[in-house]
Amino acid sequence: MTSIEVLQRAEAIVGEGPAWDARSQTLHWVDILAGTAHATTLEGVTRSFSVDGHLAGVLPTEDPDQLLLLMRDGFRLRKSDGTLRDLALPLADLPGIRFNDGKVDPRGRAFGDTMAYEWQGGDPIGALYRLDAAPDALTAANPAASVTTIESPTRLSNGIGWSPDGRLMYFTDSGAQTTYVYDYDLDTGTTRNRRVFLEVPKQDGLPDGLAVDDAGCVWIALHGSGTIRRYSPDARTDRTIDIPATQVTSLCFIGPRLDTIAVTSARYLLADGALGTQPLAGSVFTFDANTTGPAATPWAPR
């Protein structure tokens, strides 16, 4: 049995987007629907701030004084004084869609993906974007950046990750119950040759956030089942971890040795009876990974 610890007891509606900043030894994570960002230390000390609207992720940047936010409509920079700066807002005129997850590739490029609020039963209208921003474009006079569509359409875009050598990119469309893998060009940030890495049976849960460890194995949070699974590079189940909350959402490697996994969770639409049996739903959990994985790469405009 793997020992599960509670890093931060919380009642997040939709806890998501864990990203470990190795410089400050801090875990960034969000409650999407509450529009709240949290930064939690290994001692369980949390600092928080809120934004106006939904917040899908908070990512470290090369400037420790700034964070990259994935808000409802797109990418913004936040300075430590709370000042927000628009970068690219591809959903500004699409109120029925929101950003849902994001990650930075090993070279410092930011990616973010989207979903329809009413994704079940409708046409797939989500997408996976790459944020393109040259450093000299991010000036006070010209703060804008652009996005490139990497994958579209999707139903419920979710977890993103890269193999240790950066030559493979993984991306989950939860609405299709599928995690895909692409050949990835680290020099250009482009993908090709999409194929199915893993199809998850519905009874096993919804494939949600993911992380890739230093051995090239893919860890996936299976939302609805309360389990984290580690899959070998050829998609065989290698390990299953039970979490005391059914709505696990995402995970990342944390700690000074990067050998611990942190798991976010949600309590969205859980009935009172279900909450009674899982009072820790919405909290952040940790367990010993018995392997190592990468910290979050800081976003670096390029």
Side-chain angles (χ1 to χ4, degrees), residues 7-30:
L7 177 64
Q8 178 63 57
R9 182 159 187 164
E11 296 182 353
I13 306 168
V14 181
E16 256 284 11
W20 179 251
D21 188 340
R23 298 167 302 184
S24 62
Q25 293 289 290
T26 301
L27 176 69
H28 295 282
W29 60 285
V30 299

Side-chain angles (χ1 to χ4, degrees), residues 126-137:
L128 171 65
Y129 298 104
R130 186 186 69 228
L131 177 65
D132 298 316
D136 57 0

Side-chain angles (χ1 to χ4, degrees), residues 83-101:
T83 304
L84 292 179
R85 184 177 179 184
D86 295 349
L87 294 181
L89 308 177
L91 307 185
D93 298 321
L94 299 170
I97 309 177
R98 68 168 175 83
F99 271 81
N100 187 53
D101 203 352

